[in-house]
Amino acid sequence: MRAMSVHRPPRRPQLWLPLLIVSQLLIALVWWQLGWAIGLPLLLASHALCLWGVLAPASRLYGPVLTRLSGEGVWLTIDDGPSDDTRALLDLLDVYDAKATFFLVGARAAARPDLVREIAARGHGIGNHSQTHPQAMFWALGPARMRREILDCQRTLVEISGHAPVWFRSVVGHTNPFVHAPLRDAGLARVGWSARGFDAVKTDVEDVVARIDADLAPGAIVLLHEGANHGRNVAMVEGVLTRMRAKGLRAVLPDQAL
């Protein structure tokens, strides 16, 4: 089996729109027949569901997302690079004979192309994590800006590495309805996670590692970061690798896990 068995780009990225229209027409009909006391709560509930579909990282409301592997390995994913941490992380992964996928920001990759090429040369994966990483507003981007964020990053990474990424991670995990059309066009599949320690914001290494360790198991997809302001990401990744070794778990890429 190859990685493509879990690599599923969206096939019907616009399916949400007719479903949304039908649902709102049905709610309007209920409102007309039974009054606002029932119609209004239904309307609010439908809007809450739409918002949950955007903000919940594992939501499949608007399109598919991979949150676990089916094999014995663990997939380490490292977001937000390249950064000053990248080479130290590559050296650390070599020490543990571990592989990871680096979800890179296009603008940062363009500023440090040597690091992008070194990631690939050392046998690690490269994923698309948007062109500019607009974390405060990614969830609310319209279709034109969303397409630019995804496809500009794809072009940047192809130009630097010579290979087109096949995996995409939404910024902060937020995925609005406009994400999946450019993913389909670029042949990208969205990746979530099953283990996280909030290492981009938390500063306590032991606390972060313990949170991730609680969900470390065969098939886990681990969310990690590099380049955070607290400067402890490398120590956090080392802690996770140590816990994996203690559990007999190996860090692999999706095709190796299968």
Side-chain angles (χ1 to χ4, degrees), residues 5 19 21 35 49 79 81 103 105 126 139 168 241 246 249:
S5 62
L19 293 177
I21 293 171
L49 177 63
D79 288 9
F103 283 88
V105 177
I126 291 174
W139 69 278
F168 170 80
L241 289 167
L249 297 170

Side-chain angles (χ1 to χ4, degrees), residues 11-21 61-62:
R11 292 189 298 169
R12 295 181 294 274
Q14 308 296 349
L15 183 61
W16 63 273
L17 183 56
L19 293 177
L20 176 65
I21 293 171
L61 185 62
Y62 300 114

Side-chain angles (χ1 to χ4, degrees), residues 68 194-197 206-218 220 222 240 243-244 247 249:
R68 291 196 68 87
S194 62
R196 72 181 302 186
E206 287 303 317
D207 178 59
V208 166
V209 173
R211 284 173 178 267
I212 294 174
D213 183 48
D215 294 313
L216 275 180
V222 182
V240 171
R243 299 290 182 98
M244 288 176 57
K247 289 184 171 184
L249 297 170

